[in-house]
Short mmCIF file of all heavy atoms in Angstrom, two decimals:
data_model
loop_
_atom_site.label_atom_id
_atom_site.label_comp_id
_atom_site.label_asym_id
_atom_site.label_seq_id
_atom_site.Cartn_x
_atom_site.Cartn_y
_atom_site.Cartn_z
N ASP A 265 -1.35 15.22 13.99
CA ASP A 265 -1.87 16.34 14.81
C ASP A 265 -2.45 17.40 13.86
O ASP A 265 -2.09 18.58 13.88
CB ASP A 265 -0.72 16.97 15.65
CG ASP A 265 -1.29 17.92 16.71
OD1 ASP A 265 -2.48 17.81 17.03
OD2 ASP A 265 -0.52 18.79 17.19
N ILE A 266 -3.37 16.97 13.01
CA ILE A 266 -3.86 17.79 11.94
C ILE A 266 -4.77 18.94 12.46
O ILE A 266 -5.46 18.80 13.45
CB ILE A 266 -4.63 16.95 10.92
CG1 ILE A 266 -4.80 17.69 9.59
CG2 ILE A 266 -5.99 16.52 11.48
CD1 ILE A 266 -5.21 16.80 8.46
N ASP A 267 -4.61 20.10 11.84
CA ASP A 267 -5.49 21.26 12.17
C ASP A 267 -6.72 21.14 11.27
O ASP A 267 -6.76 21.55 10.13
CB ASP A 267 -4.73 22.57 11.83
CG ASP A 267 -5.51 23.79 12.23
OD1 ASP A 267 -6.76 23.74 12.33
OD2 ASP A 267 -4.87 24.85 12.46
N ALA A 268 -7.78 20.54 11.86
CA ALA A 268 -8.97 20.23 11.05
C ALA A 268 -9.70 21.48 10.59
O ALA A 268 -10.27 21.53 9.49
CB ALA A 268 -9.93 19.36 11.85
N ASP A 269 -9.64 22.57 11.39
CA ASP A 269 -10.28 23.83 11.00
C ASP A 269 -9.62 24.37 9.74
O ASP A 269 -10.27 24.83 8.80
CB ASP A 269 -10.24 24.85 12.12
CG ASP A 269 -11.17 24.49 13.27
OD1 ASP A 269 -12.32 24.06 12.99
OD2 ASP A 269 -10.73 24.63 14.42
N LYS A 270 -8.28 24.34 9.71
CA LYS A 270 -7.54 24.82 8.56
C LYS A 270 -7.77 23.92 7.35
O LYS A 270 -7.90 24.37 6.21
CB LYS A 270 -6.05 24.96 8.87
CG LYS A 270 -5.23 25.62 7.76
CD LYS A 270 -3.77 25.63 8.14
CE LYS A 270 -3.50 26.53 9.34
NZ LYS A 270 -2.03 26.68 9.60
N MET A 271 -7.78 22.60 7.62
CA MET A 271 -7.96 21.62 6.54
C MET A 271 -9.21 21.90 5.71
O MET A 271 -9.18 21.89 4.49
CB MET A 271 -7.99 20.22 7.11
CG MET A 271 -8.21 19.14 6.07
SD MET A 271 -8.47 17.50 6.80
CE MET A 271 -10.12 17.69 7.50
N VAL A 272 -10.33 22.15 6.41
CA VAL A 272 -11.60 22.35 5.68
C VAL A 272 -11.65 23.67 4.98
O VAL A 272 -12.54 23.90 4.13
CB VAL A 272 -12.81 22.14 6.58
CG1 VAL A 272 -12.85 20.73 7.13
CG2 VAL A 272 -12.79 23.14 7.74
N GLN A 273 -10.73 24.59 5.29
CA GLN A 273 -10.64 25.85 4.57
C GLN A 273 -9.78 25.73 3.31
O GLN A 273 -9.86 26.55 2.42
CB GLN A 273 -10.10 26.97 5.44
CG GLN A 273 -10.99 27.32 6.62
CD GLN A 273 -10.40 28.42 7.49
OE1 GLN A 273 -10.21 29.54 7.04
NE2 GLN A 273 -10.06 28.08 8.73
N VAL A 274 -8.95 24.71 3.28
CA VAL A 274 -8.03 24.49 2.17
C VAL A 274 -8.59 23.45 1.19
O VAL A 274 -8.43 23.63 -0.03
CB VAL A 274 -6.64 24.03 2.71
CG1 VAL A 274 -5.73 23.65 1.56
CG2 VAL A 274 -6.00 25.15 3.56
N LEU A 275 -9.20 22.41 1.71
CA LEU A 275 -9.75 21.37 0.86
C LEU A 275 -11.25 21.51 0.68
O LEU A 275 -11.97 21.91 1.60
CB LEU A 275 -9.44 20.00 1.46
CG LEU A 275 -7.99 19.60 1.63
CD1 LEU A 275 -7.89 18.21 2.23
CD2 LEU A 275 -7.22 19.69 0.31
N ARG A 276 -11.72 21.20 -0.50
CA ARG A 276 -13.18 21.14 -0.74
C ARG A 276 -13.61 19.70 -0.50
O ARG A 276 -13.36 18.83 -1.33
CB ARG A 276 -13.50 21.54 -2.19
CG ARG A 276 -13.06 22.94 -2.58
CD ARG A 276 -13.58 23.25 -3.98
NE ARG A 276 -13.02 24.45 -4.56
CZ ARG A 276 -13.52 25.68 -4.36
NH1 ARG A 276 -14.59 25.82 -3.59
NH2 ARG A 276 -12.96 26.73 -4.93
N ILE A 277 -14.22 19.45 0.64
CA ILE A 277 -14.66 18.10 0.99
C ILE A 277 -16.17 18.13 1.02
O ILE A 277 -16.82 18.55 1.98
CB ILE A 277 -14.12 17.66 2.37
CG1 ILE A 277 -12.56 17.81 2.34
CG2 ILE A 277 -14.52 16.22 2.67
CD1 ILE A 277 -11.91 17.51 3.66
N GLY A 278 -16.77 17.71 -0.11
CA GLY A 278 -18.20 17.84 -0.29
C GLY A 278 -19.01 16.77 0.40
O GLY A 278 -18.50 15.77 0.87
N LYS A 279 -20.32 16.99 0.41
CA LYS A 279 -21.24 16.09 1.05
C LYS A 279 -21.22 14.68 0.40
O LYS A 279 -21.39 13.67 1.04
CB LYS A 279 -22.66 16.63 1.02
CG LYS A 279 -22.82 17.89 1.87
CD LYS A 279 -24.28 18.37 1.81
CE LYS A 279 -24.44 19.63 2.65
NZ LYS A 279 -25.83 20.15 2.57
N GLU A 280 -21.02 14.63 -0.92
CA GLU A 280 -21.02 13.33 -1.61
C GLU A 280 -19.89 12.45 -1.11
O GLU A 280 -20.05 11.25 -0.98
CB GLU A 280 -20.90 13.56 -3.11
CG GLU A 280 -20.94 12.27 -3.96
CD GLU A 280 -22.30 11.54 -3.84
OE1 GLU A 280 -23.31 12.20 -3.52
OE2 GLU A 280 -22.30 10.33 -4.07
N LYS A 281 -18.72 13.04 -0.86
CA LYS A 281 -17.58 12.28 -0.38
C LYS A 281 -17.85 11.72 1.01
O LYS A 281 -17.32 10.68 1.39
CB LYS A 281 -16.32 13.15 -0.37
CG LYS A 281 -15.06 12.35 -0.04
CD LYS A 281 -13.80 13.13 -0.38
CE LYS A 281 -12.57 12.26 -0.19
NZ LYS A 281 -11.35 12.98 -0.60
N LEU A 282 -18.64 12.45 1.81
CA LEU A 282 -18.94 12.02 3.17
C LEU A 282 -20.19 11.15 3.26
O LEU A 282 -20.48 10.60 4.32
CB LEU A 282 -19.11 13.24 4.10
CG LEU A 282 -17.93 14.19 4.21
CD1 LEU A 282 -18.30 15.37 5.06
CD2 LEU A 282 -16.73 13.48 4.81
N SER A 283 -20.86 10.96 2.11
CA SER A 283 -22.16 10.32 2.15
C SER A 283 -22.16 8.90 2.69
O SER A 283 -23.14 8.46 3.23
CB SER A 283 -22.80 10.35 0.75
OG SER A 283 -22.01 9.62 -0.19
N ASP A 284 -21.05 8.20 2.47
CA ASP A 284 -21.01 6.77 2.93
C ASP A 284 -20.24 6.66 4.22
O ASP A 284 -19.89 5.57 4.64
CB ASP A 284 -20.42 5.87 1.84
CG ASP A 284 -18.97 6.21 1.56
OD1 ASP A 284 -18.53 7.33 1.85
OD2 ASP A 284 -18.27 5.34 0.99
N LYS A 285 -19.87 7.78 4.86
CA LYS A 285 -19.07 7.71 6.10
C LYS A 285 -19.93 7.81 7.34
O LYS A 285 -19.43 7.64 8.44
CB LYS A 285 -18.04 8.88 6.10
CG LYS A 285 -17.22 8.99 4.83
CD LYS A 285 -16.38 7.77 4.53
CE LYS A 285 -15.58 7.96 3.23
NZ LYS A 285 -14.83 6.75 2.88
N GLY A 286 -21.22 8.10 7.18
CA GLY A 286 -22.09 8.19 8.33
C GLY A 286 -21.89 9.43 9.15
O GLY A 286 -22.27 9.48 10.31
N ILE A 287 -21.24 10.48 8.57
CA ILE A 287 -21.01 11.71 9.29
C ILE A 287 -21.36 12.89 8.40
O ILE A 287 -21.47 12.76 7.17
CB ILE A 287 -19.55 11.85 9.73
CG1 ILE A 287 -18.59 11.66 8.56
CG2 ILE A 287 -19.22 10.84 10.83
CD1 ILE A 287 -17.14 11.87 8.89
N GLN A 288 -21.48 14.07 9.01
CA GLN A 288 -21.83 15.28 8.26
C GLN A 288 -20.66 16.22 8.07
O GLN A 288 -20.66 17.07 7.20
CB GLN A 288 -22.96 16.03 8.96
CG GLN A 288 -24.26 15.24 9.05
CD GLN A 288 -24.84 14.93 7.68
OE1 GLN A 288 -24.87 15.76 6.81
NE2 GLN A 288 -25.30 13.68 7.49
N SER A 289 -19.63 16.08 8.93
CA SER A 289 -18.51 17.01 8.94
C SER A 289 -17.21 16.36 8.68
O SER A 289 -16.88 15.32 9.27
CB SER A 289 -18.45 17.73 10.29
OG SER A 289 -17.24 18.49 10.42
N ALA A 290 -16.41 16.95 7.74
CA ALA A 290 -15.09 16.39 7.45
C ALA A 290 -14.19 16.52 8.69
O ALA A 290 -13.29 15.69 8.90
CB ALA A 290 -14.48 17.17 6.28
N LYS A 291 -14.41 17.53 9.54
CA LYS A 291 -13.58 17.68 10.73
C LYS A 291 -13.76 16.53 11.68
O LYS A 291 -12.85 16.13 12.39
CB LYS A 291 -13.93 19.02 11.39
CG LYS A 291 -13.46 20.24 10.69
CD LYS A 291 -13.54 21.49 11.53
CE LYS A 291 -14.93 21.87 11.86
NZ LYS A 291 -15.01 23.14 12.63
N LYS A 292 -14.96 15.97 11.75
CA LYS A 292 -15.23 14.86 12.64
C LYS A 292 -14.77 13.52 12.06
O LYS A 292 -14.74 12.52 12.78
CB LYS A 292 -16.73 14.79 12.93
CG LYS A 292 -17.21 16.00 13.71
CD LYS A 292 -18.71 15.89 13.96
CE LYS A 292 -19.27 17.10 14.70
NZ LYS A 292 -20.70 17.02 14.98
N ARG A 293 -14.42 13.54 10.80
CA ARG A 293 -14.01 12.27 10.17
C ARG A 293 -12.62 11.87 10.59
O ARG A 293 -12.30 10.66 10.66
CB ARG A 293 -14.10 12.43 8.65
CG ARG A 293 -13.78 11.19 7.85
CD ARG A 293 -13.72 11.42 6.39
NE ARG A 293 -13.41 10.23 5.65
CZ ARG A 293 -12.84 10.19 4.47
NH1 ARG A 293 -12.53 11.30 3.84
NH2 ARG A 293 -12.58 9.05 3.88
N VAL A 294 -11.73 12.84 10.79
CA VAL A 294 -10.31 12.56 11.05
C VAL A 294 -10.01 12.67 12.54
O VAL A 294 -10.34 13.70 13.16
CB VAL A 294 -9.41 13.52 10.24
CG1 VAL A 294 -7.94 13.23 10.53
CG2 VAL A 294 -9.71 13.39 8.76
N ASP A 295 -9.38 11.66 13.14
CA ASP A 295 -9.04 11.68 14.55
C ASP A 295 -7.53 11.41 14.68
O ASP A 295 -7.10 10.29 14.48
CB ASP A 295 -9.84 10.65 15.33
CG ASP A 295 -9.80 10.92 16.83
OD1 ASP A 295 -10.48 11.88 17.26
OD2 ASP A 295 -9.10 10.21 17.53
N PRO A 296 -6.75 12.43 15.03
CA PRO A 296 -5.28 12.32 14.95
C PRO A 296 -4.67 11.30 15.90
O PRO A 296 -5.17 11.01 16.98
CB PRO A 296 -4.81 13.74 15.27
CG PRO A 296 -5.95 14.62 14.95
CD PRO A 296 -7.16 13.82 15.31
N LEU A 297 -3.49 10.79 15.46
CA LEU A 297 -2.77 9.80 16.24
C LEU A 297 -2.26 10.37 17.54
O LEU A 297 -2.13 9.63 18.55
CB LEU A 297 -1.60 9.29 15.41
CG LEU A 297 -1.89 8.30 14.30
CD1 LEU A 297 -0.66 8.08 13.45
CD2 LEU A 297 -2.43 7.00 14.88
#
Side-chain angles (χ1 to χ4, degrees):
D265 192 21
I266 198 165
D267 185 335
D269 289 319
K270 187 182 294 185
M271 177 187 73
V272 296
Q273 295 179 65
V274 173
L275 299 180
R276 300 185 190 275
I277 305 175
K279 293 181 180 179
E280 182 64 24
K281 187 166 186 177
L282 299 176
S283 62
D284 65 340
K285 310 299 179 184
I287 54 176
Q288 298 297 317
S289 170
K291 289 193 292 184
K292 294 180 180 179
R293 184 186 179 205
V294 180
D295 197 73
L297 285 171

